[in-house]
Amino acid sequence: MTIGQFKLNTNVSIVTGQNSVGLGVVIREHNGYVVAASSSSFPGCLSLLNAELIGVHEGLSFAKSLGCELSVLKYDSLVVINGLKC
């Protein structure tokens, strides 16, 4: 990455037995330093795929609200990544 580029990392966690989903978002600049971070939770009994899709959506919305033009989206779900490529 070069100066002025940003990377988005998102991660979700399904809390079994509590019907809730945890979400973490980190935006880093070209040297890897954290520019912004957010965490939240919301109620619901979701599949992992749906929770991950919501996580990507929330992460992208967070980046947009800060005016960060992303050059990299880092995610650990191949299903989500392939779906975004379509």
Side-chain angles (χ1 to χ4, degrees):
M1 288 192 325
T2 60
I3 294 173
Q5 293 184 322
F6 298 94
K7 177 172 81 171
L8 172 69
N9 293 84
T10 63
N11 200 4
V12 297
S13 174
I14 296 177
V15 183
T16 307
Q18 294 184 4
N19 291 331
S20 66
V21 177
L23 168 64
V25 178
V26 176
I27 299 173
R28 298 178 187 273
E29 50 94 80
H30 69 283
N31 285 322
Y33 293 108
V34 174
V35 172
S38 172
S39 65
S40 60
S41 64
F42 52 92
C45 185
L46 302 174
S47 70
L48 182 58
L49 178 59
N50 285 338
E52 289 175 336
L53 291 169
I54 290 170
V56 169
H57 178 268
E58 292 297 313
L60 292 171
S61 295
F62 180 59
K64 183 178 179 181
S65 75
L66 298 173
C68 295
E69 292 188 29
L70 300 174
S71 59
V72 176
L73 171 61
K74 180 106 178 176
Y75 211 73
D76 61 359
S77 171
L78 189 57
V79 173
V80 171
I81 297 299
N82 287 338
L84 291 171
K85 289 180 181 179
C86 292

